[in-house]
Amino acid sequence: MGADMQTGSERRIAALDALRALAAFLVLASHVAFWTGEAGWSGVGIIAARGDVGVAVFFALSAFLLVSPWWPDPVAPRTRPGAGRYALRRAGRLLPAYWVAFIGVLAVGAAVGGRTGARPLPGVHLIGDALLLQGFTQVTPQTFTQTWSLTTELCFYAIVPALGAVLARRRAATVLAAAAVLGIAVQGLVAAGLGHGRVGAALGMSLLGHAAWFAVGIAVLGLRRGGRRLPVPDDGGTWILVAAAAFALSCTPLASPGTGPGGLAAPHPGQAMAKEALFALVAGALLLAATVPGRSPAWVAAPLVRHLGRVSYGVFLWHLVVLQVVFAGLRLPLFGAPFGWVLVLVTTATVAVASLSWRFVEAPAIRATHRDDRAGARP
């Protein structure tokens, strides 16, 4: 269906695809900035390093979409999915592509890991990583470290049915506000030294530590589902400006510590809390922009944008191992490579690999797990 013939609902779905594509690219750019060393030396690098805001966008999107069947809809009541069907569909979306990428990471690591300083994963942790437990263990291959967020996603998936029942009551706003405040406070406590080493890192990366990012996604769902009027002009441009302003603040010393090579300096508690809150604001504002009632811009339905949205999970899974191959193949020095053309090369190669993942792994798994049990019924 052409962009000019799409309905408002289809445009809004396309806008969410565009948001997925943006989130994946931001995460990719942040890792390129760290590996090349640009994150510690230039304004462009500092901005790129804050691309980890893409994780907040992913979490908010997950919350917005997955809680939707449980949130009361007075206009179009929905049937809540059964627990078995829900679990099967979540597993089909997440695990097959993850396992293929995990095998690829291990294979590439064995072949070229020594050239980039990557150490083999201890055998005892292979099973844990295969089961997506690395967010708890904090042990995973160097080129799969971004997958800590999948542990957090799994934890969120597990509580969605119960969470939906709680939020269906009238005090949803209070619950969401409390969760957001708690998550931001946890980040401050972790930065202040609550827990040490892997324990502190696991707490900061947990569902509890990032509750604010999930809470804003559910809050946007409640606003859109309830049809409430917002206290500001509700148009995409306004919310994009809000997101841009919050992102700009996250790049300042308010939320970003001084950085050296690689940009890995630890924040103090105030910075950690400010970053968590600002990232939540960025994610919420972008989600509000993508779900403005009425017609979304025609460009969000462009074939390239839709494709990048579809392959965003593959981009997330594969970009670090592609980065490893680029550094090893071109013998680039860690923290000393040119940011611009490495970004272009890694982006191009990752989209190609992610497209194959979508075509041969993700799409078939989605079709298989979304078949209707009734004979002859369409998914």
Side-chain angles (χ1 to χ4, degrees):
M1 183 179 292
D4 57 333
M5 297 177 62
Q6 291 198 331
T7 66
S9 176
E10 289 166 333
R11 287 278 185 86
R12 285 194 291 278
I13 294 172
L16 295 181
D17 279 342
L19 197 53
R20 288 189 184 93
L22 173 63
F25 174 77
L26 286 170
V27 174
L28 182 153
S30 72
H31 285 118
V32 173
F34 285 128
W35 277 54
T36 59
E38 194 73 16
W41 300 118
S42 74
V44 171
I46 291 172
I47 292 172
R50 288 282 67 83
D52 53 346
V53 71
V55 179
V57 175
F58 277 131
F59 284 178
L61 265 171
S62 288
F64 178 87
L65 293 170
L66 295 182
V67 175
S68 179
W70 279 272
W71 193 283
D73 188 344
V75 177
R78 300 184 180 189
T79 302
R80 297 177 182 179
R85 181 184 297 271
Y86 168 76
L88 177 64
R89 290 182 174 182
R90 288 297 87 210
R93 185 65 188 100
L94 204 67
L95 294 177
Y98 172 84
W99 284 330
V100 171
F102 186 43
I103 293 170
V105 164
L106 295 178
V108 172
V112 304
R115 302 180 196 175
T116 57
R119 292 174 293 181
L121 187 71
V124 70
H125 292 290
L126 288 174
I127 295 177
D129 278 24
L131 296 176
L132 288 170
L133 299 178
Q134 58 267 44
F136 301 130
T137 66
Q138 295 294 297
V139 179
T140 195
Q142 178 180 318
T143 50
F144 226 36
T145 53
Q146 82 279 20
T147 58
W148 66 264
S149 63
L150 298 182
T151 305
T152 308
E153 284 266 9
L154 272 181
C155 292
F156 179 72
Y157 293 169
I159 71 167
V160 162
L163 182 63
V166 171
L167 295 175
R169 301 172 184 174
R170 294 184 179 274
R171 296 184 178 178
T174 302
V175 172
L176 294 175
V181 170
L182 180 60
I184 293 169
V186 166
Q187 293 299 325
L189 292 172
V190 169
L194 176 65
H196 297 283
R198 293 178 183 175
V199 175
L203 180 59
M205 295 177 177
S206 69
L207 176 59
L208 182 62
H210 290 310
W213 298 353
F214 289 101
V216 295
I218 301 172
V220 172
L221 172 64
L223 288 170
R224 294 305 186 208
R225 187 64 58 80
R228 294 185 178 92
R229 293 182 62 85
L230 300 177
V232 296
D234 193 14
D235 64 88
T238 297
W239 290 115
I240 289 173
L241 287 176
V242 171
F247 179 77
L249 284 174
S250 76
C251 298
T252 69
L254 175 66
S256 297
T259 55
L264 298 176
H268 61 63
Q271 289 173 327
M273 295 173 69
K275 176 184 173 183
E276 191 74 9
L278 288 169
F279 276 16
L281 181 56
V282 170
L286 288 176
L287 191 52
L288 281 166
T291 57
V292 169
R295 295 177 61 85
S296 298
W299 65 265
V300 302
L304 177 60
V305 175
R306 295 302 302 269
H307 178 72
L308 292 176
R310 282 192 295 269
V311 305
S312 58
Y313 182 45
V315 170
F316 174 79
L317 290 174
W318 285 98
H319 72 275
L320 269 178
V321 71
V322 171
L323 188 57
Q324 181 185 33
V325 170
V326 168
F327 266 72
L330 300 179
R331 300 186 181 278
L332 300 175
L334 193 63
F335 303 146
F339 171 74
W341 68 262
V342 170
L343 177 63
V344 172
L345 182 58
V346 170
T347 300
T348 303
T350 301
V351 169
V353 175
S355 298
L356 294 175
S357 174
W358 172 259
R359 173 68 177 82
F360 296 106
V361 181
E362 297 169 58
I366 291 172
R367 286 195 295 269
T369 55
H370 282 67
R371 289 197 183 103
D372 196 294
D373 292 334
R374 294 169 296 175
R378 298 183 64 185

